[in-house]
Amino acid sequence: MAVRDNRQAILNVVKQIPEGKVATYGQVAGRAGLPRRARLVGQVLSTLNDTTIPWHRVINARGQISQRKSGYEDYQRILLEEEGVEVSVEGKVSLDRYQWRID
DNA sequence: GTGGTGACTGCCA
DNA sequence: ATGGCAGCCACCA
């Protein structure tokens, strides 16, 4: 198996996140068979170019939208709110209520 | 081929 | 609650 396939596995998991729910990077990594590779998830999403991937449903373990270079954080907040996910002005999301539960 | 970088996380002060 | 640090490893120049 080529190492490159890890990316495909991650994307596959992200696609499975239901609308109105969110998942953490670590959660996605684990579900993709890559425990403790949360950072890789972020790396992969950052290089994404595919708008069919619901990358905005992936947030960090602290239940917040991760900060990066520019305004994409605000964009992510808007996308989540449109799906019915409440996001505070600080970018916080209530994991207790919106975290994606696997089975 | 080598090395810097980061959409992360858990632990500790 | 907030902030700093180390471990992690694929991506890109």
Side-chain angles (χ1 to χ4, degrees):
Chain A
M1 296 296 285
V3 178
R4 206 77 164 210
D5 291 339
N6 289 342
R7 178 163 63 182
Q8 200 58 56
I10 291 170
L11 296 180
N12 188 45
V13 173
V14 175
K15 287 181 187 173
Q16 295 175 45
I17 303 174
E19 193 175 306
K21 293 287 185 178
V22 298
T24 67
Y25 292 95
Q27 193 177 11
V28 172
R31 184 74 176 78
L34 301 168
R36 307 204 168 51
R37 303 292 178 274
R39 208 164 194 173
L40 175 58
V41 175
Q43 189 75 290
V44 171
L45 296 184
S46 69
T47 62
L48 259 189
N49 209 10
D50 193 333
T51 49
T52 67
I53 308 290
W55 54 269
H56 55 279
R57 294 180 190 145
V58 184
I59 59 180
N60 63 33
R62 292 172 182 163
Q64 299 185 274
I65 295 173
S66 297
Q67 294 237 314
R68 64 215 100 181
K69 298 183 170 188
S70 56
Y72 276 89
E73 321 125 22
D74 296 322
Y75 180 43
Q76 182 168 14
R77 184 173 77 233
I78 293 172
L79 289 174
L80 289 174
E81 290 178 333
E82 288 183 355
E83 293 188 350
V85 178
E86 296 176 41
V87 185
S88 74
V89 288
E90 295 181 309
K92 278 189 183 177
V93 176
S94 176
L95 290 178
D96 292 322
R97 303 201 302 174
Y98 299 111
Q99 184 169 48
W100 177 38
R101 310 275 169 129
I102 302 175
D103 297 339

mmCIF file of all heavy atoms in Angstrom, chain A residues 18-22 57 59 77-88 92-94 98:
data_model
loop_
_atom_site.group_PDB
_atom_site.id
_atom_site.type_symbol
_atom_site.label_atom_id
_atom_site.label_comp_id
_atom_site.label_asym_id
_atom_site.label_seq_id
_atom_site.Cartn_x
_atom_site.Cartn_y
_atom_site.Cartn_z
ATOM 1 N N PRO A 18 -21.919 13.317 8.592
ATOM 2 C CA PRO A 18 -23.279 13.755 8.249
ATOM 3 C C PRO A 18 -23.450 15.264 8.401
ATOM 4 O O PRO A 18 -22.784 15.895 9.213
ATOM 5 C CB PRO A 18 -24.150 12.981 9.228
ATOM 6 C CG PRO A 18 -23.267 12.683 10.382
ATOM 7 C CD PRO A 18 -21.899 12.496 9.810
ATOM 8 N N GLU A 19 -24.368 15.807 7.650
ATOM 9 C CA GLU A 19 -24.631 17.238 7.706
ATOM 10 C C GLU A 19 -25.151 17.623 9.090
ATOM 11 O O GLU A 19 -25.895 16.887 9.707
ATOM 12 C CB GLU A 19 -25.678 17.570 6.635
ATOM 13 C CG GLU A 19 -25.817 19.053 6.379
ATOM 14 C CD GLU A 19 -26.781 19.320 5.218
ATOM 15 O OE1 GLU A 19 -26.565 18.758 4.128
ATOM 16 O OE2 GLU A 19 -27.756 20.057 5.430
ATOM 17 N N GLY A 20 -24.712 18.772 9.567
ATOM 18 C CA GLY A 20 -25.144 19.217 10.884
ATOM 19 C C GLY A 20 -24.311 18.629 12.003
ATOM 20 O O GLY A 20 -24.587 18.836 13.175
ATOM 21 N N LYS A 21 -23.276 17.856 11.633
ATOM 22 C CA LYS A 21 -22.395 17.265 12.639
ATOM 23 C C LYS A 21 -20.957 17.697 12.382
ATOM 24 O O LYS A 21 -20.615 18.133 11.287
ATOM 25 C CB LYS A 21 -22.478 15.734 12.562
ATOM 26 C CG LYS A 21 -23.816 15.177 12.976
ATOM 27 C CD LYS A 21 -23.984 15.274 14.490
ATOM 28 C CE LYS A 21 -25.289 14.604 14.914
ATOM 29 N NZ LYS A 21 -25.451 14.644 16.380
ATOM 30 N N VAL A 22 -20.124 17.543 13.392
ATOM 31 C CA VAL A 22 -18.712 17.876 13.223
ATOM 32 C C VAL A 22 -17.859 16.748 13.794
ATOM 33 O O VAL A 22 -18.324 15.951 14.601
ATOM 34 C CB VAL A 22 -18.354 19.187 13.952
ATOM 35 C CG1 VAL A 22 -19.139 20.354 13.381
ATOM 36 C CG2 VAL A 22 -18.578 19.045 15.445
ATOM 37 N N ARG A 57 -16.538 20.559 8.289
ATOM 38 C CA ARG A 57 -17.091 19.825 9.438
ATOM 39 C C ARG A 57 -15.999 19.253 10.305
ATOM 40 O O ARG A 57 -16.267 18.557 11.272
ATOM 41 C CB ARG A 57 -18.003 18.706 8.944
ATOM 42 C CG ARG A 57 -19.237 19.243 8.243
ATOM 43 C CD ARG A 57 -20.143 18.122 7.739
ATOM 44 N NE ARG A 57 -21.181 18.700 6.863
ATOM 45 C CZ ARG A 57 -21.679 18.084 5.796
ATOM 46 N NH1 ARG A 57 -21.275 16.876 5.477
ATOM 47 N NH2 ARG A 57 -22.586 18.670 5.058
ATOM 48 N N ILE A 59 -13.033 19.960 12.875
ATOM 49 C CA ILE A 59 -12.476 20.977 13.763
ATOM 50 C C ILE A 59 -11.495 20.311 14.725
ATOM 51 O O ILE A 59 -11.365 19.083 14.724
ATOM 52 C CB ILE A 59 -13.594 21.661 14.577
ATOM 53 C CG1 ILE A 59 -14.344 20.628 15.410
ATOM 54 C CG2 ILE A 59 -14.537 22.391 13.638
ATOM 55 C CD1 ILE A 59 -15.456 21.238 16.242
ATOM 56 N N ARG A 77 -16.949 28.998 9.691
ATOM 57 C CA ARG A 77 -18.002 29.253 10.675
ATOM 58 C C ARG A 77 -19.340 29.464 9.984
ATOM 59 O O ARG A 77 -20.362 28.933 10.412
ATOM 60 C CB ARG A 77 -17.649 30.485 11.514
ATOM 61 C CG ARG A 77 -18.673 30.703 12.611
ATOM 62 C CD ARG A 77 -18.277 31.816 13.557
ATOM 63 N NE ARG A 77 -18.499 33.123 12.984
ATOM 64 C CZ ARG A 77 -17.580 34.079 12.915
ATOM 65 N NH1 ARG A 77 -16.379 33.851 13.382
ATOM 66 N NH2 ARG A 77 -17.874 35.237 12.390
ATOM 67 N N ILE A 78 -19.325 30.201 8.917
ATOM 68 C CA ILE A 78 -20.543 30.460 8.165
ATOM 69 C C ILE A 78 -21.133 29.163 7.612
ATOM 70 O O ILE A 78 -22.335 28.912 7.718
ATOM 71 C CB ILE A 78 -20.267 31.431 6.999
ATOM 72 C CG1 ILE A 78 -19.913 32.805 7.567
ATOM 73 C CG2 ILE A 78 -21.483 31.537 6.084
ATOM 74 C CD1 ILE A 78 -19.427 33.785 6.513
ATOM 75 N N LEU A 79 -20.282 28.341 7.035
ATOM 76 C CA LEU A 79 -20.746 27.077 6.473
ATOM 77 C C LEU A 79 -21.401 26.208 7.543
ATOM 78 O O LEU A 79 -22.443 25.593 7.311
ATOM 79 C CB LEU A 79 -19.577 26.317 5.846
ATOM 80 C CG LEU A 79 -19.022 26.925 4.556
ATOM 81 C CD1 LEU A 79 -17.783 26.156 4.116
ATOM 82 C CD2 LEU A 79 -20.079 26.895 3.460
ATOM 83 N N LEU A 80 -20.802 26.164 8.720
ATOM 84 C CA LEU A 80 -21.351 25.357 9.803
ATOM 85 C C LEU A 80 -22.695 25.906 10.268
ATOM 86 O O LEU A 80 -23.642 25.151 10.493
ATOM 87 C CB LEU A 80 -20.362 25.311 10.974
ATOM 88 C CG LEU A 80 -19.110 24.473 10.714
ATOM 89 C CD1 LEU A 80 -18.135 24.608 11.888
ATOM 90 C CD2 LEU A 80 -19.472 23.004 10.518
ATOM 91 N N GLU A 81 -22.767 27.201 10.409
ATOM 92 C CA GLU A 81 -24.019 27.810 10.862
ATOM 93 C C GLU A 81 -25.155 27.542 9.875
ATOM 94 O O GLU A 81 -26.296 27.357 10.265
ATOM 95 C CB GLU A 81 -23.824 29.316 11.045
ATOM 96 C CG GLU A 81 -22.925 29.628 12.235
ATOM 97 C CD GLU A 81 -22.680 31.119 12.385
ATOM 98 O OE1 GLU A 81 -22.752 31.829 11.369
ATOM 99 O OE2 GLU A 81 -22.418 31.546 13.524
ATOM 100 N N GLU A 82 -24.810 27.492 8.619
ATOM 101 C CA GLU A 82 -25.820 27.221 7.606
ATOM 102 C C GLU A 82 -26.350 25.799 7.699
ATOM 103 O O GLU A 82 -27.415 25.483 7.191
ATOM 104 C CB GLU A 82 -25.237 27.462 6.209
ATOM 105 C CG GLU A 82 -25.032 28.941 5.911
ATOM 106 C CD GLU A 82 -24.530 29.149 4.500
ATOM 107 O OE1 GLU A 82 -24.251 28.142 3.812
ATOM 108 O OE2 GLU A 82 -24.408 30.307 4.079
ATOM 109 N N GLU A 83 -25.567 24.933 8.345
ATOM 110 C CA GLU A 83 -26.011 23.549 8.510
ATOM 111 C C GLU A 83 -26.712 23.343 9.839
ATOM 112 O O GLU A 83 -27.054 22.232 10.202
ATOM 113 C CB GLU A 83 -24.800 22.603 8.414
ATOM 114 C CG GLU A 83 -24.201 22.594 7.025
ATOM 115 C CD GLU A 83 -23.140 21.513 6.898
ATOM 116 O OE1 GLU A 83 -22.766 20.920 7.927
ATOM 117 O OE2 GLU A 83 -22.706 21.261 5.768
ATOM 118 N N GLY A 84 -26.844 24.432 10.592
ATOM 119 C CA GLY A 84 -27.532 24.343 11.866
ATOM 120 C C GLY A 84 -26.616 24.128 13.056
ATOM 121 O O GLY A 84 -27.081 23.862 14.159
ATOM 122 N N VAL A 85 -25.324 24.239 12.849
ATOM 123 C CA VAL A 85 -24.368 24.076 13.948
ATOM 124 C C VAL A 85 -24.088 25.439 14.562
ATOM 125 O O VAL A 85 -23.704 26.374 13.867
ATOM 126 C CB VAL A 85 -23.041 23.470 13.430
ATOM 127 C CG1 VAL A 85 -22.036 23.346 14.571
ATOM 128 C CG2 VAL A 85 -23.305 22.105 12.807
ATOM 129 N N GLU A 86 -24.299 25.524 15.871
ATOM 130 C CA GLU A 86 -24.074 26.795 16.553
ATOM 131 C C GLU A 86 -22.587 27.007 16.813
ATOM 132 O O GLU A 86 -21.932 26.169 17.414
ATOM 133 C CB GLU A 86 -24.832 26.788 17.885
ATOM 134 C CG GLU A 86 -26.348 26.708 17.700
ATOM 135 C CD GLU A 86 -27.067 26.606 19.041
ATOM 136 O OE1 GLU A 86 -26.658 27.302 19.981
ATOM 137 O OE2 GLU A 86 -28.015 25.821 19.142
ATOM 138 N N VAL A 87 -22.095 28.133 16.351
ATOM 139 C CA VAL A 87 -20.683 28.451 16.545
ATOM 140 C C VAL A 87 -20.577 29.813 17.220
ATOM 141 O O VAL A 87 -21.178 30.782 16.762
ATOM 142 C CB VAL A 87 -19.944 28.506 15.192
ATOM 143 C CG1 VAL A 87 -18.449 28.708 15.407
ATOM 144 C CG2 VAL A 87 -20.192 27.224 14.393
ATOM 145 N N SER A 88 -19.828 29.886 18.315
ATOM 146 C CA SER A 88 -19.694 31.160 19.019
ATOM 147 C C SER A 88 -18.801 32.100 18.222
ATOM 148 O O SER A 88 -18.144 31.702 17.267
ATOM 149 C CB SER A 88 -19.090 30.921 20.397
ATOM 150 O OG SER A 88 -17.710 30.631 20.262
ATOM 151 N N LYS A 92 -16.047 28.646 18.687
ATOM 152 C CA LYS A 92 -16.258 27.433 19.476
ATOM 153 C C LYS A 92 -17.529 26.699 19.067
ATOM 154 O O LYS A 92 -18.553 27.311 18.799
ATOM 155 C CB LYS A 92 -16.375 27.790 20.960
ATOM 156 C CG LYS A 92 -15.063 27.969 21.661
ATOM 157 C CD LYS A 92 -15.342 28.104 23.169
ATOM 158 C CE LYS A 92 -14.064 28.356 23.951
ATOM 159 N NZ LYS A 92 -14.375 28.558 25.384
ATOM 160 N N VAL A 93 -17.445 25.378 19.113
ATOM 161 C CA VAL A 93 -18.591 24.531 18.808
ATOM 162 C C VAL A 93 -18.800 23.588 19.988
ATOM 163 O O VAL A 93 -17.832 23.124 20.584
ATOM 164 C CB VAL A 93 -18.347 23.681 17.539
ATOM 165 C CG1 VAL A 93 -19.520 22.736 17.287
ATOM 166 C CG2 VAL A 93 -18.137 24.587 16.333
ATOM 167 N N SER A 94 -20.053 23.314 20.337
ATOM 168 C CA SER A 94 -20.338 22.399 21.436
ATOM 169 C C SER A 94 -20.221 20.961 20.954
ATOM 170 O O SER A 94 -21.113 20.433 20.302
ATOM 171 C CB SER A 94 -21.754 22.651 21.955
ATOM 172 O OG SER A 94 -22.071 21.703 22.965
ATOM 173 N N TYR A 98 -22.840 18.449 18.968
ATOM 174 C CA TYR A 98 -22.675 18.303 17.513
ATOM 175 C C TYR A 98 -21.615 17.303 17.061
ATOM 176 O O TYR A 98 -21.479 17.039 15.877
ATOM 177 C CB TYR A 98 -22.360 19.663 16.904
ATOM 178 C CG TYR A 98 -23.462 20.661 17.123
ATOM 179 C CD1 TYR A 98 -23.274 21.747 17.978
ATOM 180 C CD2 TYR A 98 -24.697 20.505 16.497
ATOM 181 C CE1 TYR A 98 -24.287 22.673 18.185
ATOM 182 C CE2 TYR A 98 -25.722 21.422 16.708
ATOM 183 C CZ TYR A 98 -25.512 22.504 17.552
ATOM 184 O OH TYR A 98 -26.515 23.402 17.759
#
